[in-house]
Amino acid sequence: MKTSLTVAIVLSCIVTNTSLAQKMTSMDAKPKVVNKPKKDVVYQVFTRLFGNKNTTNKPWGTIEENGVGKFNDFTDKALQEIKKLGVTYIWYTGVPHHDVIRDYTKYGISNDDPDIVKGRAGSPYAVKDYYNVNPDLAVNPAKRLEEFQALITRTHTNGLKVIIDIVPNHIARNYHSLTNPKGVTDFGAEDDTSLEYARDNNFYYIPGKSFEVPTSNTYRPLNGERNPLSDGKFTENPAKWTGNGSRQAKPDINDWYETVKVNYGIKPDGSKDFPELPAGYDTKDYKTHYEFWKGKDVPSSWKKFRDIALYWTAKGIDGFRYDMAEMVPYEFWSYMNSAIKMKNPDAFLLAEVYNPKEYRNYINLGKMDYLYDKVETYDHLKAIIHGSAMPDPLSDIQEDMKDIEHHMLHFLDNHDEQRLASLEFAGTPEKGKPMMVVSATISTSPTMIYFGQEVGEDGKEDAGFGKPSRTSIFDYIGVPHHQRWMNGGKFDGGALSKSEKDLRDFYKRLLNFTIKSNALMGKYQEIHTLNRNETKMYDAGIYSYVRWSDKEKLIVVVNFSWVTTSHFELKVPEDVIKTWNLKDGLYNVKDQLYGSTTQLKVTDGKGTIQLSLKPSESFIFKL
């Protein structure tokens, strides 16, 4: 979730309020030791859209017109095909019960006001009840929690692990849980609303002012459709701060007006009103962090979100993706993440963080396993494919993040970003192939793909609130390329075109190689600079590097160019040949994507490979 990101980033600088000493300690921390035997691959699915077979795709269409997917659409067959793609985790996006414009009152669920809901199907980041799940996703909404529990079990049975969202920074304006565990009260139920701030208030208030619905000359809820609750009003007195930090009783239409900001003990002036981690805790493990927080007096919101995470952990959830984590202080993350790890040491904890200056704080002090590598690797790959940057800085990015590279999850597609195959990004799915090879093999970090990416989903649909280039997360809509793979629920790709089948085959080959490769959990060295400086016909769009471990040695070379076939002699430098302990002679190397073979020639301690590299082609040569 990145709307009004400028406000969000400014606020994150306030809430983290990192001391200079802690920053210096984090920067000087020793590189992490990676003990995992293989890479992980996360498959993000927008749960509401995955199983939808309806192809009507009417803008602002209702659930009856455009259809909706269900938990039960993730059949054993579907899960097995996802696993065969090379996936180890499924991130089921949009599971917690969020606001939706649909009448579920017969199940005891209150109707949601279109004036504070984005789209018709609602934003998954405006959670209304953290102790239950979206009723749209259930065949029987009365049994929605049981249906999701069955999906967790089914996913595990098929050899995959489960991630869901938690959004600690903000919740729906009308939050109300119907299924709180015994002793758990709703957010804000015990707040002193006469105060702008109190440490144990769950929200920030604007005393003396009532909330006003934002107005716009161009936007109308439900596209202007009549609805009993759509009257330009929503009762909230006093008004609360909005989710992205707006302190206005009437937020702007571009603010996260459907949500309210959660208070973690950060005073309005940005100072911290809770215990801080001692110096040196960036090098301590989660057990030490957990012991530190034992018996500490912490804000109410900390306890509420910790209990939510442990509730889902107890139900078998294997990890969480945290929305806009940098807007919440890293001390809270230390508190919650250490508690999760004490219950499940293998929990997969992924955070959305966009401020590179704070990466090490959220990893080392906040005890995050992984952060989005969006600002560095993703943004630069996008610039390369747009023709506005050279591949060369990829080497600098790897060097600058070598102490945390394992923690920087790589992706090219997710629900917030433009589709990789869209005209606004790569333009064609084939142009995305070299980007995907680099994203998946340049570091030891996990790789993430977004459902439909592997068959060239381009996000062309005008869904209503959600507009083209992104697959809408706010509307009932079909996902055409993915639906052709789904093939009416057969999940066999039977309706795919040849190019779509070929693309999925590429992803299957690449991802399955990455989760088995020992070298990809080993060392990295770029050989690009040498070749750029010394190799004739090593064209501008080419990039190369080596990966190795004691058991496996790889040479990776990609061509980002869409138009140029390059014929050249790739050089493998003397220090790599020496490290690999190769004597002068000929060595067979085999491409791990499509099986072609060639030879590495070592002469006077230096290596060369004769290559012909087609547009958008990549080789992963194994010695």
Side-chain angles (χ1 to χ4, degrees), residues 65-116:
E65 292 169 321
N66 283 0
V68 70
K70 304 290 185 181
F71 292 131
N72 286 359
D73 291 318
F74 292 90
T75 62
D76 289 321
K77 171 66 173 174
L79 293 168
Q80 276 300 304
E81 291 304 315
I82 292 170
K83 181 178 172 60
K84 289 176 184 176
L85 191 62
V87 172
T88 57
Y89 283 84
I90 296 186
W91 165 18
Y92 291 115
T93 307
V95 167
H97 184 179
H98 58 79
D99 283 355
V100 299
I101 306 303
R102 184 164 173 77
D103 189 345
Y104 287 110
T105 52
K106 70 178 181 180
Y107 302 103
I109 300 170
S110 60
N111 283 327
D112 298 319
D113 190 332
D115 292 311
I116 57 158

Short mmCIF file of all heavy atoms in Angstrom, two decimals, residues 65-116:
data_model
loop_
_atom_site.label_atom_id
_atom_site.label_comp_id
_atom_site.label_asym_id
_atom_site.label_seq_id
_atom_site.Cartn_x
_atom_site.Cartn_y
_atom_site.Cartn_z
N GLU A 65 -22.26 -9.74 -11.10
CA GLU A 65 -21.90 -9.47 -12.49
C GLU A 65 -20.51 -9.98 -12.84
O GLU A 65 -20.31 -10.59 -13.90
CB GLU A 65 -21.97 -7.96 -12.75
CG GLU A 65 -23.39 -7.40 -12.70
CD GLU A 65 -23.41 -5.88 -12.69
OE1 GLU A 65 -22.54 -5.26 -12.03
OE2 GLU A 65 -24.30 -5.31 -13.35
N ASN A 66 -19.54 -9.72 -11.98
CA ASN A 66 -18.13 -10.01 -12.29
C ASN A 66 -17.57 -11.23 -11.59
O ASN A 66 -16.48 -11.68 -11.95
CB ASN A 66 -17.26 -8.80 -11.95
CG ASN A 66 -17.36 -7.70 -12.99
OD1 ASN A 66 -18.07 -7.83 -13.98
ND2 ASN A 66 -16.65 -6.61 -12.77
N GLY A 67 -18.29 -11.76 -10.62
CA GLY A 67 -17.83 -12.96 -9.94
C GLY A 67 -16.77 -12.70 -8.90
O GLY A 67 -16.24 -11.59 -8.76
N VAL A 68 -16.44 -13.75 -8.14
CA VAL A 68 -15.42 -13.66 -7.10
C VAL A 68 -14.87 -15.06 -6.84
O VAL A 68 -15.59 -16.06 -6.98
CB VAL A 68 -16.00 -13.05 -5.79
CG1 VAL A 68 -16.96 -14.02 -5.11
CG2 VAL A 68 -14.90 -12.63 -4.83
N GLY A 69 -13.59 -15.13 -6.50
CA GLY A 69 -12.97 -16.40 -6.14
C GLY A 69 -13.20 -16.75 -4.68
O GLY A 69 -13.49 -15.88 -3.85
N LYS A 70 -13.05 -18.02 -4.37
CA LYS A 70 -13.29 -18.51 -3.01
C LYS A 70 -12.06 -19.28 -2.50
O LYS A 70 -11.21 -19.71 -3.26
CB LYS A 70 -14.50 -19.46 -3.01
CG LYS A 70 -15.79 -18.87 -3.58
CD LYS A 70 -16.39 -17.81 -2.66
CE LYS A 70 -17.73 -17.31 -3.19
NZ LYS A 70 -18.31 -16.26 -2.32
N PHE A 71 -12.04 -19.47 -1.19
CA PHE A 71 -11.00 -20.31 -0.60
C PHE A 71 -10.99 -21.70 -1.23
O PHE A 71 -9.93 -22.28 -1.48
CB PHE A 71 -11.23 -20.47 0.91
CG PHE A 71 -11.05 -19.23 1.73
CD1 PHE A 71 -12.01 -18.84 2.65
CD2 PHE A 71 -9.91 -18.44 1.59
CE1 PHE A 71 -11.84 -17.71 3.44
CE2 PHE A 71 -9.72 -17.30 2.36
CZ PHE A 71 -10.70 -16.93 3.29
N ASN A 72 -12.19 -22.21 -1.50
CA ASN A 72 -12.31 -23.57 -2.02
C ASN A 72 -11.77 -23.73 -3.44
O ASN A 72 -11.56 -24.86 -3.91
CB ASN A 72 -13.77 -24.03 -1.98
CG ASN A 72 -14.24 -24.34 -0.58
OD1 ASN A 72 -13.47 -24.23 0.38
ND2 ASN A 72 -15.50 -24.70 -0.43
N ASP A 73 -11.53 -22.59 -4.13
CA ASP A 73 -10.97 -22.67 -5.48
C ASP A 73 -9.51 -23.12 -5.46
O ASP A 73 -8.98 -23.56 -6.49
CB ASP A 73 -11.08 -21.32 -6.19
CG ASP A 73 -12.52 -20.96 -6.51
OD1 ASP A 73 -13.27 -21.86 -6.94
OD2 ASP A 73 -12.90 -19.79 -6.34
N PHE A 74 -8.87 -23.00 -4.32
CA PHE A 74 -7.50 -23.50 -4.18
C PHE A 74 -7.58 -25.00 -3.88
O PHE A 74 -7.46 -25.46 -2.74
CB PHE A 74 -6.76 -22.77 -3.05
CG PHE A 74 -6.49 -21.32 -3.36
CD1 PHE A 74 -7.40 -20.34 -3.02
CD2 PHE A 74 -5.30 -20.95 -3.98
CE1 PHE A 74 -7.15 -19.00 -3.30
CE2 PHE A 74 -5.04 -19.62 -4.27
CZ PHE A 74 -5.97 -18.64 -3.93
N THR A 75 -7.82 -25.75 -4.94
CA THR A 75 -7.96 -27.19 -4.82
C THR A 75 -6.59 -27.85 -4.68
O THR A 75 -5.55 -27.21 -4.86
CB THR A 75 -8.64 -27.75 -6.07
OG1 THR A 75 -7.80 -27.47 -7.21
CG2 THR A 75 -10.01 -27.12 -6.28
N ASP A 76 -6.59 -29.13 -4.39
CA ASP A 76 -5.32 -29.87 -4.35
C ASP A 76 -4.59 -29.74 -5.69
O ASP A 76 -3.36 -29.57 -5.71
CB ASP A 76 -5.57 -31.34 -4.03
CG ASP A 76 -5.99 -31.56 -2.58
OD1 ASP A 76 -5.44 -30.88 -1.70
OD2 ASP A 76 -6.86 -32.40 -2.35
N LYS A 77 -5.33 -29.83 -6.78
CA LYS A 77 -4.72 -29.71 -8.11
C LYS A 77 -4.08 -28.34 -8.30
O LYS A 77 -2.93 -28.22 -8.77
CB LYS A 77 -5.78 -29.96 -9.18
CG LYS A 77 -5.35 -29.65 -10.61
CD LYS A 77 -4.26 -30.56 -11.12
CE LYS A 77 -4.01 -30.31 -12.60
NZ LYS A 77 -2.86 -31.09 -13.13
N ALA A 78 -4.80 -27.28 -7.92
CA ALA A 78 -4.26 -25.92 -8.06
C ALA A 78 -2.99 -25.76 -7.23
O ALA A 78 -1.99 -25.21 -7.71
CB ALA A 78 -5.31 -24.89 -7.63
N LEU A 79 -3.03 -26.24 -6.02
CA LEU A 79 -1.88 -26.11 -5.13
C LEU A 79 -0.69 -26.93 -5.62
O LEU A 79 0.46 -26.49 -5.52
CB LEU A 79 -2.27 -26.51 -3.71
CG LEU A 79 -3.28 -25.58 -3.03
CD1 LEU A 79 -3.83 -26.22 -1.76
CD2 LEU A 79 -2.66 -24.22 -2.72
N GLN A 80 -0.97 -28.09 -6.17
CA GLN A 80 0.12 -28.91 -6.69
C GLN A 80 0.78 -28.24 -7.90
O GLN A 80 2.00 -28.28 -8.06
CB GLN A 80 -0.40 -30.30 -7.09
CG GLN A 80 -0.47 -31.28 -5.94
CD GLN A 80 0.92 -31.51 -5.32
OE1 GLN A 80 1.87 -31.90 -5.99
NE2 GLN A 80 1.02 -31.27 -4.02
N GLU A 81 -0.02 -27.62 -8.75
CA GLU A 81 0.54 -26.93 -9.91
C GLU A 81 1.35 -25.70 -9.50
O GLU A 81 2.37 -25.39 -10.12
CB GLU A 81 -0.57 -26.53 -10.89
CG GLU A 81 -1.23 -27.71 -11.58
CD GLU A 81 -0.24 -28.59 -12.33
OE1 GLU A 81 0.63 -28.05 -13.04
OE2 GLU A 81 -0.31 -29.83 -12.20
N ILE A 82 0.91 -25.02 -8.47
CA ILE A 82 1.69 -23.89 -7.94
C ILE A 82 3.01 -24.40 -7.37
O ILE A 82 4.08 -23.83 -7.62
CB ILE A 82 0.88 -23.13 -6.87
CG1 ILE A 82 -0.30 -22.41 -7.53
CG2 ILE A 82 1.77 -22.13 -6.13
CD1 ILE A 82 -1.30 -21.83 -6.55
N LYS A 83 2.95 -25.49 -6.64
CA LYS A 83 4.18 -26.06 -6.08
C LYS A 83 5.15 -26.49 -7.19
O LYS A 83 6.36 -26.26 -7.11
CB LYS A 83 3.85 -27.25 -5.17
CG LYS A 83 5.08 -27.89 -4.52
CD LYS A 83 4.68 -29.02 -3.59
CE LYS A 83 5.91 -29.78 -3.10
NZ LYS A 83 6.86 -28.93 -2.35
N LYS A 84 4.61 -27.10 -8.25
CA LYS A 84 5.45 -27.55 -9.36
C LYS A 84 6.13 -26.38 -10.07
O LYS A 84 7.14 -26.57 -10.75
CB LYS A 84 4.62 -28.35 -10.37
CG LYS A 84 4.18 -29.71 -9.88
CD LYS A 84 3.28 -30.39 -10.90
CE LYS A 84 2.74 -31.71 -10.40
NZ LYS A 84 1.79 -32.32 -11.38
N LEU A 85 5.59 -25.20 -9.92
CA LEU A 85 6.20 -24.01 -10.51
C LEU A 85 7.54 -23.68 -9.84
O LEU A 85 8.35 -22.95 -10.41
CB LEU A 85 5.23 -22.83 -10.39
CG LEU A 85 5.54 -21.55 -11.14
CD1 LEU A 85 5.57 -21.78 -12.65
CD2 LEU A 85 4.50 -20.47 -10.79
N GLY A 86 7.76 -24.24 -8.65
CA GLY A 86 8.97 -23.95 -7.90
C GLY A 86 8.72 -23.08 -6.70
O GLY A 86 9.61 -22.37 -6.22
N VAL A 87 7.50 -23.12 -6.17
CA VAL A 87 7.06 -22.26 -5.07
C VAL A 87 7.20 -22.99 -3.74
O VAL A 87 6.96 -24.20 -3.66
CB VAL A 87 5.59 -21.83 -5.29
CG1 VAL A 87 5.03 -21.11 -4.08
CG2 VAL A 87 5.49 -20.96 -6.55
N THR A 88 7.59 -22.24 -2.71
CA THR A 88 7.67 -22.82 -1.36
C THR A 88 6.68 -22.19 -0.38
O THR A 88 6.26 -22.82 0.58
CB THR A 88 9.10 -22.68 -0.80
OG1 THR A 88 9.49 -21.29 -0.78
CG2 THR A 88 10.11 -23.46 -1.65
N TYR A 89 6.30 -20.93 -0.63
CA TYR A 89 5.32 -20.22 0.21
C TYR A 89 4.22 -19.63 -0.67
O TYR A 89 4.50 -19.14 -1.76
CB TYR A 89 5.96 -19.06 0.97
CG TYR A 89 6.80 -19.43 2.16
CD1 TYR A 89 8.13 -19.81 2.01
CD2 TYR A 89 6.27 -19.38 3.46
CE1 TYR A 89 8.92 -20.14 3.10
CE2 TYR A 89 7.05 -19.70 4.56
CZ TYR A 89 8.37 -20.08 4.38
OH TYR A 89 9.14 -20.40 5.47
N ILE A 90 2.99 -19.65 -0.16
CA ILE A 90 1.90 -18.89 -0.78
C ILE A 90 1.51 -17.76 0.15
O ILE A 90 1.24 -17.98 1.34
CB ILE A 90 0.66 -19.75 -1.06
CG1 ILE A 90 0.97 -20.85 -2.07
CG2 ILE A 90 -0.47 -18.89 -1.61
CD1 ILE A 90 -0.25 -21.66 -2.49
N TRP A 91 1.51 -16.54 -0.39
CA TRP A 91 1.01 -15.39 0.35
C TRP A 91 -0.43 -15.15 -0.11
O TRP A 91 -0.66 -14.67 -1.20
CB TRP A 91 1.92 -14.19 0.12
CG TRP A 91 1.36 -12.86 0.52
CD1 TRP A 91 0.32 -12.59 1.35
CD2 TRP A 91 1.85 -11.58 0.08
NE1 TRP A 91 0.10 -11.24 1.47
CE2 TRP A 91 1.03 -10.60 0.70
CE3 TRP A 91 2.88 -11.17 -0.76
CZ2 TRP A 91 1.23 -9.22 0.50
CZ3 TRP A 91 3.07 -9.81 -0.96
CH2 TRP A 91 2.26 -8.86 -0.34
N TYR A 92 -1.38 -15.52 0.75
CA TYR A 92 -2.79 -15.29 0.48
C TYR A 92 -3.12 -13.84 0.85
O TYR A 92 -3.32 -13.52 2.02
CB TYR A 92 -3.66 -16.27 1.27
CG TYR A 92 -3.55 -17.71 0.82
CD1 TYR A 92 -3.02 -18.68 1.66
CD2 TYR A 92 -4.00 -18.10 -0.44
CE1 TYR A 92 -2.94 -20.01 1.25
CE2 TYR A 92 -3.92 -19.42 -0.85
CZ TYR A 92 -3.39 -20.37 0.00
OH TYR A 92 -3.30 -21.69 -0.41
N THR A 93 -3.21 -12.98 -0.15
CA THR A 93 -3.43 -11.56 0.09
C THR A 93 -4.92 -11.26 0.22
O THR A 93 -5.73 -11.77 -0.56
CB THR A 93 -2.84 -10.73 -1.07
OG1 THR A 93 -1.48 -11.11 -1.27
CG2 THR A 93 -2.91 -9.25 -0.79
N GLY A 94 -5.25 -10.41 1.19
CA GLY A 94 -6.64 -9.97 1.35
C GLY A 94 -7.51 -10.91 2.14
O GLY A 94 -8.73 -10.95 1.95
N VAL A 95 -6.92 -11.67 3.06
CA VAL A 95 -7.69 -12.64 3.84
C VAL A 95 -8.40 -12.02 5.05
O VAL A 95 -9.59 -12.26 5.25
CB VAL A 95 -6.79 -13.82 4.29
CG1 VAL A 95 -7.46 -14.66 5.36
CG2 VAL A 95 -6.45 -14.69 3.08
N PRO A 96 -7.74 -11.25 5.92
CA PRO A 96 -8.45 -10.68 7.07
C PRO A 96 -9.69 -9.90 6.63
O PRO A 96 -9.71 -9.26 5.57
CB PRO A 96 -7.41 -9.77 7.72
CG PRO A 96 -6.10 -10.38 7.35
CD PRO A 96 -6.30 -10.89 5.94
N HIS A 97 -10.72 -9.93 7.44
CA HIS A 97 -12.00 -9.32 7.10
C HIS A 97 -11.84 -7.81 6.96
O HIS A 97 -11.62 -7.10 7.93
CB HIS A 97 -13.03 -9.65 8.19
CG HIS A 97 -14.41 -9.15 7.89
ND1 HIS A 97 -15.47 -9.37 8.73
CD2 HIS A 97 -14.93 -8.44 6.84
CE1 HIS A 97 -16.56 -8.82 8.23
NE2 HIS A 97 -16.25 -8.26 7.08
N HIS A 98 -11.97 -7.33 5.75
CA HIS A 98 -11.89 -5.90 5.48
C HIS A 98 -13.24 -5.39 4.99
O HIS A 98 -14.16 -6.17 4.70
CB HIS A 98 -10.79 -5.60 4.45
CG HIS A 98 -10.97 -6.30 3.14
ND1 HIS A 98 -11.86 -5.87 2.17
CD2 HIS A 98 -10.39 -7.42 2.63
CE1 HIS A 98 -11.82 -6.68 1.13
NE2 HIS A 98 -10.94 -7.64 1.38
N ASP A 99 -13.38 -4.08 4.91
CA ASP A 99 -14.63 -3.48 4.45
C ASP A 99 -14.97 -3.93 3.03
O ASP A 99 -14.10 -3.98 2.15
CB ASP A 99 -14.52 -1.96 4.46
CG ASP A 99 -14.65 -1.37 5.85
OD1 ASP A 99 -14.91 -2.13 6.79
OD2 ASP A 99 -14.49 -0.15 5.99
N VAL A 100 -16.23 -4.27 2.81
CA VAL A 100 -16.75 -4.62 1.49
C VAL A 100 -18.15 -4.02 1.35
O VAL A 100 -18.87 -3.89 2.33
CB VAL A 100 -16.81 -6.15 1.25
CG1 VAL A 100 -15.44 -6.79 1.34
CG2 VAL A 100 -17.77 -6.83 2.24
N ILE A 101 -18.52 -3.67 0.13
CA ILE A 101 -19.87 -3.15 -0.12
C ILE A 101 -20.75 -4.30 -0.55
O ILE A 101 -20.96 -4.56 -1.74
CB ILE A 101 -19.86 -2.02 -1.16
CG1 ILE A 101 -18.88 -0.93 -0.74
CG2 ILE A 101 -21.26 -1.44 -1.32
CD1 ILE A 101 -19.15 -0.34 0.62
N ARG A 102 -21.23 -5.02 0.42
CA ARG A 102 -22.10 -6.17 0.18
C ARG A 102 -22.85 -6.46 1.48
O ARG A 102 -22.28 -6.35 2.57
CB ARG A 102 -21.29 -7.38 -0.27
CG ARG A 102 -22.13 -8.59 -0.63
CD ARG A 102 -21.32 -9.60 -1.42
NE ARG A 102 -22.08 -10.83 -1.65
CZ ARG A 102 -23.04 -10.97 -2.54
NH1 ARG A 102 -23.39 -9.95 -3.30
NH2 ARG A 102 -23.68 -12.12 -2.69
N ASP A 103 -24.09 -6.84 1.37
CA ASP A 103 -24.94 -7.02 2.54
C ASP A 103 -24.75 -8.41 3.14
O ASP A 103 -25.18 -9.42 2.56
CB ASP A 103 -26.41 -6.82 2.16
CG ASP A 103 -27.32 -6.77 3.39
OD1 ASP A 103 -26.88 -7.16 4.49
OD2 ASP A 103 -28.48 -6.32 3.25
N TYR A 104 -24.08 -8.45 4.28
CA TYR A 104 -23.91 -9.70 5.03
C TYR A 104 -24.58 -9.62 6.40
O TYR A 104 -24.18 -10.30 7.34
CB TYR A 104 -22.42 -10.01 5.21
CG TYR A 104 -21.72 -10.48 3.95
CD1 TYR A 104 -20.80 -9.66 3.30
CD2 TYR A 104 -21.97 -11.75 3.43
CE1 TYR A 104 -20.15 -10.10 2.14
CE2 TYR A 104 -21.34 -12.18 2.28
CZ TYR A 104 -20.42 -11.36 1.64
OH TYR A 104 -19.78 -11.79 0.51
N THR A 105 -25.61 -8.77 6.51
CA THR A 105 -26.24 -8.56 7.82
C THR A 105 -26.89 -9.83 8.38
O THR A 105 -26.99 -9.99 9.59
CB THR A 105 -27.29 -7.44 7.75
OG1 THR A 105 -28.21 -7.72 6.67
CG2 THR A 105 -26.63 -6.09 7.49
N LYS A 106 -27.30 -10.75 7.52
CA LYS A 106 -27.91 -11.98 8.04
C LYS A 106 -26.91 -12.86 8.77
O LYS A 106 -27.27 -13.80 9.46
CB LYS A 106 -28.62 -12.75 6.93
CG LYS A 106 -27.72 -13.40 5.90
CD LYS A 106 -28.57 -14.17 4.88
CE LYS A 106 -27.72 -14.86 3.83
NZ LYS A 106 -28.56 -15.60 2.85
N TYR A 107 -25.63 -12.54 8.59
CA TYR A 107 -24.57 -13.25 9.31
C TYR A 107 -24.07 -12.43 10.50
O TYR A 107 -23.05 -12.76 11.10
CB TYR A 107 -23.41 -13.56 8.38
CG TYR A 107 -23.82 -14.38 7.18
CD1 TYR A 107 -23.99 -13.80 5.94
CD2 TYR A 107 -24.06 -15.76 7.30
CE1 TYR A 107 -24.37 -14.54 4.84
CE2 TYR A 107 -24.46 -16.51 6.21
CZ TYR A 107 -24.62 -15.90 4.98
OH TYR A 107 -25.01 -16.65 3.89
N GLY A 108 -24.80 -11.36 10.82
CA GLY A 108 -24.42 -10.53 11.96
C GLY A 108 -23.35 -9.49 11.64
O GLY A 108 -22.86 -8.81 12.54
N ILE A 109 -23.01 -9.33 10.36
CA ILE A 109 -21.97 -8.40 9.94
C ILE A 109 -22.62 -7.09 9.52
O ILE A 109 -23.55 -7.08 8.72
CB ILE A 109 -21.16 -8.99 8.76
CG1 ILE A 109 -20.49 -10.30 9.17
CG2 ILE A 109 -20.12 -7.98 8.26
CD1 ILE A 109 -19.88 -11.06 8.00
N SER A 110 -22.14 -5.98 10.05
CA SER A 110 -22.71 -4.68 9.72
C SER A 110 -22.31 -4.27 8.30
O SER A 110 -21.26 -4.66 7.79
CB SER A 110 -22.22 -3.62 10.71
OG SER A 110 -20.81 -3.52 10.68
N ASN A 111 -23.20 -3.50 7.66
CA ASN A 111 -22.89 -2.98 6.33
C ASN A 111 -21.82 -1.89 6.42
O ASN A 111 -21.75 -1.16 7.41
CB ASN A 111 -24.15 -2.41 5.66
CG ASN A 111 -25.06 -3.50 5.13
OD1 ASN A 111 -24.59 -4.54 4.69
ND2 ASN A 111 -26.36 -3.25 5.16
N ASP A 112 -21.00 -1.80 5.38
CA ASP A 112 -19.92 -0.81 5.34
C ASP A 112 -20.33 0.37 4.48
O ASP A 112 -21.01 0.21 3.46
CB ASP A 112 -18.63 -1.45 4.83
CG ASP A 112 -18.16 -2.58 5.74
OD1 ASP A 112 -18.24 -2.41 6.96
OD2 ASP A 112 -17.72 -3.63 5.22
N ASP A 113 -19.90 1.56 4.88
CA ASP A 113 -20.30 2.81 4.25
C ASP A 113 -19.43 3.09 3.03
O ASP A 113 -18.21 3.22 3.15
CB ASP A 113 -20.14 3.94 5.27
CG ASP A 113 -20.75 5.25 4.81
OD1 ASP A 113 -20.82 5.47 3.59
OD2 ASP A 113 -21.14 6.05 5.68
N PRO A 114 -20.04 3.19 1.83
CA PRO A 114 -19.23 3.46 0.62
C PRO A 114 -18.41 4.73 0.70
O PRO A 114 -17.41 4.87 -0.02
CB PRO A 114 -20.29 3.56 -0.49
CG PRO A 114 -21.47 2.81 0.03
CD PRO A 114 -21.46 3.02 1.52
N ASP A 115 -18.80 5.66 1.56
CA ASP A 115 -18.05 6.91 1.68
C ASP A 115 -16.66 6.71 2.29
O ASP A 115 -15.80 7.58 2.15
CB ASP A 115 -18.84 7.92 2.52
CG ASP A 115 -20.11 8.38 1.82
OD1 ASP A 115 -20.03 8.75 0.63
OD2 ASP A 115 -21.18 8.35 2.45
N ILE A 116 -16.46 5.58 2.95
CA ILE A 116 -15.14 5.29 3.53
C ILE A 116 -14.61 3.93 3.07
O ILE A 116 -13.83 3.28 3.77
CB ILE A 116 -15.15 5.36 5.07
CG1 ILE A 116 -16.19 4.39 5.65
CG2 ILE A 116 -15.38 6.78 5.56
CD1 ILE A 116 -15.94 3.99 7.08
#
